[in-house]
């Protein structure tokens, strides 16, 4: 499948460093081959802790390849910011979806699944399934 049809992934964290690190981890664990478009949207424009609607919208536009965009968030106000952008209707690319998934494990599952060429529903399902991963 051409990369123009891959689902894009946006990782929204209150910290620019956390978002970038999780993006790097997820891409690294996805292995070689096709690379899904992934963008980190962490912190505020000024580099502080928080979330930025502008950074989220820019990240979503950057990864949009026409197959949808899955947005994963870390904490409550990140969720609220993404929900507000979705409610606006024209701030995010068509087919953008807020995915209910654990941030790190869900990001890895989403990126691996998107890199395999899966559609948005499958990417969302793989990320959400990460809630079932047991560690003990």
């Amino acid at each position: 499948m051409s990369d123009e049809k891959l689902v894009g992934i946006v990782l929204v964290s209150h910290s620019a460093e956390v978002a970038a690190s999780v993006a790097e981890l997820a891409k690294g664990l996805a292995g070689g081959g096709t690379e899904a478009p992934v963008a980190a949207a962490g912190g505020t424009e000024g580099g502080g802790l928080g979330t930025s609607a502008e950074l989220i919208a820019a990240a979503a536009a950057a990864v949009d390849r026409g197959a949808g965009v899955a947005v994963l968030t870390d904490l409550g106000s990140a969720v609220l910011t993404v929900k507000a952008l979705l409610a606006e209707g024209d701030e995010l690319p068509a087919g953008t979806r807020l995915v209910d998934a654990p941030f790190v494990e869900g990001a890895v599952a989403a990126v691996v699944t998107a890199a395999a060429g899966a559609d948005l529903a499958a990417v969302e399902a793989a990320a959400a399934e990460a809630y079932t991963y047991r560690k003990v």
Side-chain angles (χ1 to χ4, degrees):
M1 178 172 273
S2 108
D3 64 343
E4 291 182 4
K5 293 295 182 190
L6 294 177
V7 172
I9 312 292
V10 175
L11 303 176
V12 181
S13 173
H14 283 67
S15 162
E17 293 82 3
V18 168
S21 294
V22 172
E24 180 183 350
L25 175 68
K27 289 190 289 188
L29 292 176
T34 304
E35 189 170 303
V38 180
T44 64
E45 289 92 343
L49 295 177
T51 55
S52 161
E54 291 77 17
L55 291 177
I56 295 165
V63 300
D64 181 23
R65 303 290 184 275
V69 176
V71 181
L72 286 82
T73 60
D74 63 355
L75 302 169
S77 65
V79 173
L80 295 176
T81 303
V82 173
K83 283 183 174 182
L85 285 167
L86 288 167
E88 298 265 335
D90 61 353
E91 296 295 318
L92 298 173
T96 298
R97 190 175 296 174
L98 175 60
V99 175
D100 184 13
F103 193 61
V104 175
E105 295 92 335
V108 171
V111 171
V112 168
T113 305
D119 66 12
L120 183 58
V123 170
E124 179 178 28
E129 185 181 353
Y131 273 129
T132 67
Y133 299 170
R134 304 302 311 167
K135 296 181 177 143
V136 181

